């Protein structure tokens, strides 16, 4: 059973090829690479969702053809039930489905981190979202894998995302 101490950062995932057009949605909102994000993300896995707390680190991973980490941030207090924005929903069967959402504040990375770079790090390569991409949403990074991921991200993006100085990132 997953324990809160096992989690360095939550990883929430989406598929821009099949489900929801992440890139189009961000561009339509005027959120370009390096831009601040205050948003929410739909989640499954209630047992894990219930472990998420305000202040936890969060990683947004888009699978599909691009397969990359695109955002990082910090979970805020917002929780809601809602539907995906129909303007950016690719799969018509998903349009009116109610889902649980968690809010976060962060940054769209200036330079997304491709799956190939993530797999090259031994700590990140062992993470659920790399080993078993169909795992629950959210999945997680261990504290060690979170520190490895942070080492791949620019200091400017870490600061903008609220990650700089976080306890998890201290060795």
């Amino acid at each position: 059973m997953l324990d809160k101490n096992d989690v360095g950062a939550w990883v929430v995932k989406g598929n821009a090829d099949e489900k929801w057009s992440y890139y189009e949605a961000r561009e339509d909102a005027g959120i370009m690479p390096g831009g601040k994000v205050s948003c929410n993300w739909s989640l499954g896995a209630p047992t894990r969702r219930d472990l998420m707390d305000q202040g936890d680190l969060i990683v947004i991973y888009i699978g599909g053809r691009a397969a990359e980490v695109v955002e990082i941030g910090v979970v805020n207090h917002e929780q809601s039930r809602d539907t995906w924005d129909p303007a950016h929903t690719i799969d018509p069967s998903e349009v009116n489905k109610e889902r649980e959402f968690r809010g976060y504040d962060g940054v769209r990375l200036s330079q997304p981190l491709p799956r190939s770079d993530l797999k090259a790090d031994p700590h990140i390569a062992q993470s659920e979202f790399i080993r078993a991409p169909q795992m629950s949403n959210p999945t997680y990074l261990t504290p060690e894998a979170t520190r490895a991921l942070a080492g791949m991200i620019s200091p400017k993006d870490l600061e903008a995302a609220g990650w700089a100085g976080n306890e998890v990132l201290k060795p």
Side-chain angles (χ1 to χ4, degrees), residues 9 11 58-59 69 71-72 109 113 118 121 123-124 129 141 143-154 158 163 169:
V11 178
I58 192 166
V59 174
V69 169
E71 295 178 14
I72 60 169
L109 294 179
L113 299 173
L118 302 172
D121 181 274
H123 295 293
I124 299 171
F129 79 105
L141 289 170
E144 296 80 13
T146 303
R147 287 190 286 277
L149 181 74
M152 298 176 176
I153 297 170
S154 76
L158 291 172
W163 279 38
L169 300 182

Side-chain angles (χ1 to χ4, degrees), residues 17-157:
D17 297 332
E18 298 175 8
K19 300 286 185 182
W20 187 73
S21 182
Y22 166 83
Y23 300 98
E24 182 180 295
R26 288 298 184 256
E27 288 169 17
D28 286 354
I31 303 168
M32 303 313 274
K36 293 279 243 169
V37 178
S38 187
C39 194
N40 60 30
W41 202 268
S42 63
L43 305 172
T47 55
R48 289 185 173 191
R49 185 177 64 225
D50 293 345
L51 286 174
M52 292 178 92
D53 289 323
Q54 183 173 348
D56 287 354
L57 301 182
I58 192 166
V59 174
I60 310 301
Y61 178 80
I62 299 299
R65 285 187 302 258
E68 58 191 4
V69 169
V70 293
E71 295 178 14
I72 60 169
V74 177
V75 175
N76 64 32
H77 68 282
E78 295 174 28
Q79 296 182 49
S80 62
R81 258 189 100 59
D82 204 349
T83 60
W84 289 345
D85 175 0
H88 299 107
T89 303
I90 297 168
D91 181 345
S93 71
E94 300 288 338
V95 171
N96 292 315
K97 285 186 181 175
E98 275 206 359
R99 296 170 164 77
E100 295 291 328
F101 286 81
R102 281 305 297 255
Y104 67 95
D105 300 303
V107 68
R108 183 172 174 190
L109 294 179
S110 299
Q111 197 68 283
L113 299 173
R115 182 179 174 85
S116 57
D117 290 359
L118 302 172
K119 287 174 71 175
D121 181 274
H123 295 293
I124 299 171
Q126 294 303 310
S127 300
E128 288 178 331
F129 79 105
I130 298 294
R131 287 185 299 107
Q134 300 302 317
M135 281 294 290
S136 66
N137 199 15
T139 185
Y140 69 99
L141 289 170
T142 64
E144 296 80 13
T146 303
R147 287 190 286 277
L149 181 74
M152 298 176 176
I153 297 170
S154 76
K156 182 179 176 184
D157 283 352

Side-chain angles (χ1 to χ4, degrees), residues 158-169:
L158 291 172
E159 183 71 35
W163 279 38
N166 188 284
E167 286 298 313
V168 172
L169 300 182

